[in-house]
Amino acid sequence: MVNMLQEIREIGSHAMDIYDYLVAGIDPRIKDYPLMQNPIPMTMTLLCYLFFVLYLGPRIMASRKPFQLKEAMIVYNFLLVALSIYIVYEFLMSGWATTYTWRCDAVDTSNSPEALRMVEVAWLFWFSKIIELIDTIFFVLRKKHSQITFLHIFHHSFMPWTWWWGVSYAPGGMGSFHAMVNSSVHVIMYFYYGLAAAGPRFQKFLWWKKYMTAIQLIQFVLVSLHATQYYFMDSCDYQFPTVIHLVWVYGTFFFVLFSNFWFQAYIRGKRLPKQDMKQCQNGTAVYNNGKHHENGNGIIHGLTTTNGSVHHENGSVHMGKMKKA
């Protein structure tokens, strides 16, 4: 027993040494930003998120009717559009459209205005992933349980957790390319969600849903290609190659998943009835050929969102009954 206690103390001591070493390596320029002093607040935030969406939220909603959150979703989606536009602009102005070569770009560790601007937008991109946890909370409150897939939960929790470390150690450089591309895709994606949440009167403006998946596939190709060039360079002074490896894995992994979704949904037509494939939208009800279809955020998110499930509730509806209702 004494030996076991001694071993536990030694393990605890080693773990604390590793933790102190990791915290000591955080970029001092970012330590004053919210949730960046150490990984504990960020980890607790994500654990609370998981507890709510997997256990507490469903139990609370079990005996309640789904919330109608149309106005909140419209505001939320268009605010994320504005935030994503700002993030893309800041990434461009802090390096990608000014001094970066788009190949091997090291992290600027100085306190120059441009370097500090990159630190700020890198943190803002990470914080946007925390804001996007609200996606799943909307699913819970609207009782869209089919949308809360393992892939969705995994991406929404694991992505901000890993990016916290990326921002802490490497706020900028070639590792930030995928953040800029991802934010560009989110401008389009959340604009689509905002229009879809606004109701059936915007149906005619949403014919391009199918191409959202194509845009996301292009995103993963760009991200993977940009990361891949690192492995063919004779030398590269980027300071944190682990970030490049992780980005490459992300890009390749999600490209495979999205390609499968594209094939199943738009080639084989298994995920959506063919006549309605272009008409199911985020939070809206669509009437077509006398049938009713309802879908939550059915588009798989970009590198930051990954929900490929599409939910259908079919039932013939006669026009007389519709008018009576």
Side-chain angles (χ1 to χ4, degrees), residues 20-32:
D20 292 339
Y21 173 78
L22 292 174
V23 171
I26 295 175
D27 192 314
R29 299 173 300 172
I30 208 168
K31 280 190 174 182
D32 291 334

Side-chain angles (χ1 to χ4, degrees), residues 257-296:
L257 292 177
F258 274 62
S259 297
N260 179 66
F261 173 79
W262 173 277
F263 179 75
Q264 296 296 334
Y266 300 114
I267 304 301
R268 301 186 66 181
K270 284 190 172 184
R271 294 181 181 245
L272 293 174
K274 291 182 179 180
Q275 70 270 26
D276 302 314
M277 196 174 292
K278 296 181 181 179
Q279 293 171 295
C280 290
Q281 288 137 8
N282 169 22
T284 64
V286 180
Y287 293 92
N288 188 35
N289 295 334
K291 294 185 178 181
H292 167 252
H293 305 277
E294 187 174 346
N295 180 32

Side-chain angles (χ1 to χ4, degrees), residues 200-214:
R201 58 181 174 171
F202 290 93
Q203 295 277 325
K204 59 184 177 180
F205 302 113
L206 299 174
W207 53 268
W208 44 277
K209 175 196 171 184
K210 177 179 179 179
Y211 301 102
M212 281 297 303
T213 306

Side-chain angles (χ1 to χ4, degrees), residues 49 76 129-139 156:
Y49 159 77
Y76 168 76
K129 302 301 126 188
I130 299 298
I131 296 173
E132 289 168 13
L133 299 179
I134 298 175
D135 289 357
T136 322
I137 295 174
F138 279 144
F139 287 155
H156 272 67

